[in-house]
């Protein structure tokens, strides 16, 4: 060995920093899987319990109009709030925004309790506002954690774990409701003691949020490190990135499905309150949670299948969704016509003849609505790799979903014939079909890290080309981004 080589070896040895061995506890606590489980448990205590109440029909109330108005207010705030908090998350950190997201759901549930017991209405609208602010922060952060912390090969599974644990909230909440209302075989409202248990569960979200690790501290199996996403970030700069993301084909073609897919959810709440007994409604909430959990498990597995190319899987999945949803709408229109014209008025209970016909379609709609959530989140994970872009994309996704929910719940707050509400939901879904098929033709085999797809001048480049191995050039026109 030459003197020069020996000198280089000594220098290299001196420069090496000894790596401190990590304990098993640290490796588990900082792992992507642990973090997505915690995010799922937070989702269980917050939107999971919210879903349990709403899937009972009108938040468990006898009439749907006040609760639909409050829900419209919630989603109206989320239209702007989700994107706003996603920008703040890239500046101040996902954990801080997640903590803020656990503070507003319990007041909403408390308002339903006060309204149920004492008839107070203003508190329900106030609770809808606090829920809107909290949901904006929660959805902007937890979706980014579930997708961004996962390796590409695990994103279907991790999304399934996150959304599946959210449905655990509905399963537990609706089981409690069913046990407390099992003898109410007539139409009416859910007993007020139901809300006390659910409010207690929602209060667990805040301490759980403190267990989340920031992205730069997460330990991956391949030992790769994520740079602190908040480092050297400016709010105005993140806003510009948000605008560029909105102009990308991969995103703006998703807008119709984000706005139009879930309009049937408002109708389902009206449907349950109009035609089902209290205990049948609580059974509906329970079985809807089971259906949604099944959707999370099934699609979480399907989306991580390696033997099928992602572009092919996207096209086949959306074709399946389109056929099933159109069939369900046709079935529901037939049910609505039958029940609305019945004399005397229909009150379906589980011991009523023909109960299965009216009940099953509600459960199947819930399965498909949850399948839709899995699909759009999987698409984002298929398009984008870096957590900064995913955070902004999830915020945008929730903003446009909130536009649809705000308008649909607003329509549900108006006293009109349920058939009109159903037909509007039918039309809104039909509008989503062509543009979503167009999106499936853009799905790459592997997502792109947008931090790396830049030219020497720092300008953004068409990531869809880079993901397919096509030579890229700087995009002069922002509309091409």
């Amino acid at each position: 060995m030459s003197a020069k080589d020996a000198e280089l070896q000594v220098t290299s040895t001196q420069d090496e920093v000894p790596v401190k061995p990590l304990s098993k506890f640290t490796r588990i606590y900082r792992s992507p899987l642990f973090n997505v489980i915690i995010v799922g448990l937070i989702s269980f205590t917050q939107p999971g319990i919210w879903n349990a109440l709403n899937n009972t029909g009108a938040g468990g109330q006898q009439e749907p109009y006040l609760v639909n108005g409050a829900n419209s207010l919630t989603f109206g705030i989320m239209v702007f709030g989700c994107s706003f908090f996603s920008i703040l998350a890239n500046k101040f950190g996902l954990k801080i925004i997640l903590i803020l997201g656990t503070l507003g759901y319990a007041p909403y549930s408390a308002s339903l309790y006060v309204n149920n017991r004492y008839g107070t209405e203003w508190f329900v609208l106030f609770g809808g506002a606090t829920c809107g602010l909290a949901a904006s922060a929660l959805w902007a952060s937890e979706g980014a954690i579930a997708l961004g912390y996962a390796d590409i090969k695990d994103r279907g599974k991790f999304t399934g774990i996150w959304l599946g644990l959210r449905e655990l909230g509905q399963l537990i909440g609706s089981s409690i409701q069913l046990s407390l209302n099992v003898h109410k075989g007539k139409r009416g409202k859910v007993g007020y003691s139901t809300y006390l248990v659910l409010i207690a569960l929602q209060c667990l979200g805040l301490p759980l949020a403190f267990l989340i690790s920031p992205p730069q501290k997460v330990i991956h199996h391949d030992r790769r490190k994520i740079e602190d996403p908040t480092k050297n970030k400016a709010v105005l700069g993140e806003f510009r990135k948000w605008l560029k993301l909105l102009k990308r084909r991969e995103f703006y073609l998703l807008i119709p499905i984000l706005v139009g897919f879930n309009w049937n959810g408002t109708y389902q709440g009206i449907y349950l309150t109009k035609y089902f007994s209290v205990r049948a409604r609580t059974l509906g909430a329970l079985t809807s949670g089971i259906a949604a959990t099944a959707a999370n498990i099934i699609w979480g597995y399907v989306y991580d299948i390696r033997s099928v190319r992602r572009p092919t899987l996207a096209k086949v999945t959306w074709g399946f969704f389109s056929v099933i949803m159109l069939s369900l709408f046709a079935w529901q229109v037939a049910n609505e016509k039958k029940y609305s014209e019945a004399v005397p008025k229909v009150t379906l209970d589980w011991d009523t003849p023909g109960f299965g016909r009216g009940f099953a379609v509600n459960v199947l709609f819930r399965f498909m609505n949850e399948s839709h959530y899995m699909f759009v989140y999987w698409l984002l994970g298929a398009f984008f790799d870096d957590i900064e872009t995913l955070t902004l994309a999830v915020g945008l996704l929730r903003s446009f979903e909130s536009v649809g929910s705000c308008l649909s719940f607003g329509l549900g707050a108006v006293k009109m014939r349920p058939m009109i509400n159903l037909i509007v939901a039918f039309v809104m879904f039909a509008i989503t079909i062509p543009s979503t098929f167009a999106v499936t033709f853009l799905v790459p085999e592997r997502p792109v890290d947008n931090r790396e797809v830049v030219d020497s001048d720092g300008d953004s480049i068409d990531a869809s080309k880079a993901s397919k191995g096509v030579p890229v050039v700087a995009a002069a026109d922002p509309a091409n981004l």
Side-chain angles (χ1 to χ4, degrees):
M1 178 186 295
S2 67
K4 185 175 180 180
D5 291 338
E7 183 181 351
L8 288 172
Q9 184 175 0
V10 171
T11 303
S12 175
T13 304
Q14 290 175 343
D15 290 341
E16 288 179 358
V17 178
V19 179
K20 184 179 178 181
L22 299 173
S23 66
K24 185 176 182 180
F25 172 80
T26 301
R27 290 197 301 271
I28 295 174
Y29 176 68
R30 299 294 189 190
S31 68
L33 180 59
F34 178 82
N35 279 271
V36 80
I37 289 174
I38 295 299
V39 162
L41 291 174
I42 293 169
S43 197
F44 146 60
T45 65
Q46 307 302 303
I49 299 299
W50 187 92
N51 279 340
L53 285 170
N54 273 276
N55 286 318
T56 310
Q61 306 300 313
Q62 184 165 1
E63 294 295 335
Y65 307 109
L66 175 63
V67 173
N68 281 342
N71 288 344
S72 181
L73 176 60
T74 295
F75 287 106
I77 292 171
M78 290 175 67
V79 169
F80 304 99
C82 288
S83 289
F84 175 71
F85 278 108
S86 70
I87 291 171
L88 293 185
N90 275 353
K91 171 62 179 176
F92 299 107
L94 286 165
K95 184 173 182 177
I96 293 174
I97 302 303
L98 183 68
I99 290 171
L100 293 176
T102 63
L103 302 179
Y105 279 88
Y108 173 67
S109 297
S111 73
L112 294 180
Y113 166 80
V114 173
N115 176 253
N116 184 290
R117 189 167 187 181
Y118 304 111
T120 306
E121 295 187 351
W122 70 267
F123 193 15
V124 177
L125 297 176
F126 175 80
T130 65
C131 188
L133 291 170
S136 297
L138 186 74
W139 280 96
S141 53
E142 66 173 0
I145 292 171
L147 287 174
Y149 284 19
D151 294 323
I152 296 168
K153 63 181 177 61
D154 295 326
R155 282 185 176 165
K157 177 176 66 179
F158 274 40
T159 305
I161 291 172
W162 162 46
L163 294 178
L165 286 173
R166 183 190 68 176
E167 294 309 317
L168 182 62
Q170 181 171 333
L171 290 173
I172 293 176
S174 54
S175 297
I176 293 168
Q177 293 180 64
L178 183 59
S179 67
L180 295 175
N181 298 280
V182 68
H183 300 298
K184 295 189 176 182
K186 298 181 179 180
R187 284 190 291 169
K189 59 184 179 181
V190 171
Y192 63 78
S193 57
T194 304
Y195 298 98
L196 297 176
V197 180
L198 301 183
I199 292 168
L201 287 173
Q202 285 189 317
C203 291
L204 299 175
L206 179 60
L208 284 171
F210 284 95
L211 299 177
I212 290 293
S213 299
Q216 67 274 15
K217 293 186 178 180
V218 174
I219 300 172
H220 295 266
H221 289 299
D222 57 3
R223 298 291 180 178
R224 66 184 174 90
K225 282 287 185 180
I226 299 176
E227 186 180 354
D228 183 357
T230 66
K231 191 175 182 180
N232 301 321
K233 292 290 175 65
V235 172
L236 187 58
E238 293 305 298
F239 178 71
R240 285 195 292 265
K241 292 178 185 176
W242 177 88
L243 284 176
K244 287 184 177 180
L245 181 60
L246 181 58
K247 295 176 181 178
R248 288 179 60 155
R249 284 185 304 164
E250 296 97 322
F251 194 89
Y252 67 68
L253 286 174
L254 280 174
I255 291 175
I257 188 177
L258 301 179
V259 174
F261 195 98
N262 271 344
W263 279 59
N264 68 83
T266 302
Y267 167 78
Q268 294 302 319
I270 297 171
Y271 177 66
L272 289 173
T273 58
K274 287 287 185 184
Y275 306 123
F276 289 83
S277 67
V278 170
R279 65 181 183 180
R281 286 162 58 186
T282 55
L283 177 64
L286 177 61
T287 53
S288 293
I290 294 172
T293 303
N296 296 141
I297 294 171
I298 292 169
W299 295 111
Y301 169 78
V302 169
Y303 290 145
D304 283 340
I305 293 176
R306 300 186 189 181
S307 58
V308 181
R309 297 180 68 250
R310 281 190 176 91
T312 303
L313 186 57
K315 297 180 186 71
V316 171
T317 300
W318 181 241
F320 171 78
F321 282 12
S322 299
V323 171
I324 297 299
M325 284 296 291
L326 291 173
S327 302
L328 287 178
F329 271 115
W331 183 359
Q332 188 65 79
V333 167
N335 282 347
E336 177 59 42
K337 188 174 188 304
K338 176 181 174 67
Y339 301 145
S340 63
E341 295 176 354
V343 179
K345 289 184 178 180
V346 171
T347 300
L348 294 172
D349 192 44
W350 59 53
D351 59 4
T352 303
F355 173 75
R357 166 184 170 164
F359 188 78
V361 68
N362 177 69
V363 177
L364 292 173
F365 261 119
R366 187 70 180 89
F367 177 88
M368 291 307 300
N369 287 345
E370 190 67 17
S371 298
H372 143 264
Y373 277 122
M374 288 288 294
F375 183 62
V376 294
Y377 277 105
W378 176 73
L379 285 177
L380 288 189
F383 284 130
F384 311 119
D385 190 20
D386 59 294
I387 196 165
E388 294 97 322
T389 305
L390 281 171
T391 300
L392 296 175
V394 168
L396 266 174
L397 179 152
R398 290 302 298 171
S399 287
F400 282 104
E401 281 188 340
S402 299
V403 170
S405 296
C406 175
L407 294 174
S408 64
F409 278 116
L411 185 67
V414 178
K415 295 184 178 181
M416 64 173 62
R417 290 193 301 125
M419 180 65 85
I420 297 175
N421 197 297
L422 176 59
I423 294 300
V424 171
F426 200 158
V427 172
M428 290 301 296
F429 171 73
I431 292 172
T432 72
I433 295 176
S435 62
T436 309
F437 261 124
V439 171
T440 63
F441 283 90
L442 300 176
V443 173
E445 186 57 38
R446 182 178 177 84
V448 172
D449 186 335
N450 287 270
R451 294 166 303 180
E452 299 174 0
V453 187
V454 294
D455 65 1
S456 58
D457 296 325
D459 295 323
S460 296
I461 293 175
D462 191 335
S464 64
K465 292 181 181 178
S467 65
K468 297 175 181 177
V470 179
V472 292
V473 293
D477 184 358
N480 293 328
L481 294 172

